[in-house]
Amino acid sequence: MSTPGRTESTPRRRLQFESLTQAARRTGLSTRTLRRRIAEGRLPAYRVGQRVLRVNPEDVDRLMVRVPTV
């Protein structure tokens, strides 16, 4: 069965997730800040099992907003 708009020669893009520790290290944010953003609903997270959380790096990057300069 095929997906609309997708041909058999088009590879399916697999989402890459990272742990909160990896996201914190990459962005310079704390894991506590990331957990707060998840609790506020500002950062989507995905649970793997009962304890493990993963986030999409693109979602984490969207938290970073450029500050306009004068």
Side-chain angles (χ1 to χ4, degrees), residues 41-65:
R42 294 177 55 195
L43 177 62
Y46 304 88
R47 190 168 295 282
V48 181
Q50 289 188 354
R51 298 180 55 132
V52 179
L53 285 176
R54 292 290 184 256
V55 291
N56 184 332
E58 293 174 2
D59 292 335
V60 177
D61 291 346
R62 276 193 277 285
L63 289 175
M64 309 300 261
V65 178

Side-chain angles (χ1 to χ4, degrees), residues 29 31-44 63:
L29 298 171
T31 55
R32 192 171 182 177
T33 296
L34 293 172
R35 287 183 182 279
R36 276 197 306 266
R37 298 303 178 264
I38 292 167
E40 295 166 353
R42 294 177 55 195
L43 177 62
L63 289 175

Side-chain angles (χ1 to χ4, degrees), residues 6-47:
R6 187 173 165 265
T7 64
E8 292 303 319
S9 62
T10 306
R12 183 180 229 172
R13 184 173 166 250
R14 176 174 277 217
L15 289 177
Q16 297 292 318
F17 296 99
E18 61 187 358
S19 69
L20 295 183
T21 302
Q22 291 168 323
R25 197 174 297 135
R26 185 174 59 80
T27 60
L29 298 171
S30 70
T31 55
R32 192 171 182 177
T33 296
L34 293 172
R35 287 183 182 279
R36 276 197 306 266
R37 298 303 178 264
I38 292 167
E40 295 166 353
R42 294 177 55 195
L43 177 62
Y46 304 88
R47 190 168 295 282

